[in-house]
Amino acid sequence: RGKIKLIALVATWDDEGGVLTATVDGTPHEMTIENRKAKLVVSGQSPGAHTVTLADPPGCRAPVVVSCE
C-alpha cells in the first residue's frame, strides 16, 4: 500500500498555529501550520490515481491527481 505526502507552504507567519484542511479522495484531513508549513501523510492508499484538494482555505489551489504505485 502506498503513501500520499502533502506539504503546504504558507506565505506569512500570521497563520502560525492555524489549521488547513486537505481532502484525499474526498476524505478530510486537518494539518496544523508550524514554521510556515503544514504536513500530511496518508498511509495505506491503494495503487492508482488519488485526488488531493486543499479544501480550507477554499479556492487556494486546484485539485491535484497523484498516483500511488
Side-chain angles (χ1 to χ4, degrees), residues 4-8 21-27 40 45 48-55 59-68:
I4 295 174
K5 296 179 182 180
L6 169 67
I7 298 174
T21 302
T23 64
V24 177
D25 296 331
T27 301
L40 173 68
Q45 298 298 301
H50 299 276
T51 302
V52 178
T53 304
L54 187 56
C60 200
R61 289 281 289 173
V64 176
V65 176
V66 298
S67 182
C68 288

Side-chain angles (χ1 to χ4, degrees), residues 30-63:
E30 289 190 343
M31 306 174 289
T32 301
I33 301 168
E34 296 178 19
N35 296 319
R36 293 178 43 193
K37 294 180 191 170
K39 298 178 183 179
L40 173 68
V41 177
V42 181
S43 299
Q45 298 298 301
S46 61
H50 299 276
T51 302
V52 178
T53 304
L54 187 56
D56 184 23
C60 200
R61 289 281 289 173

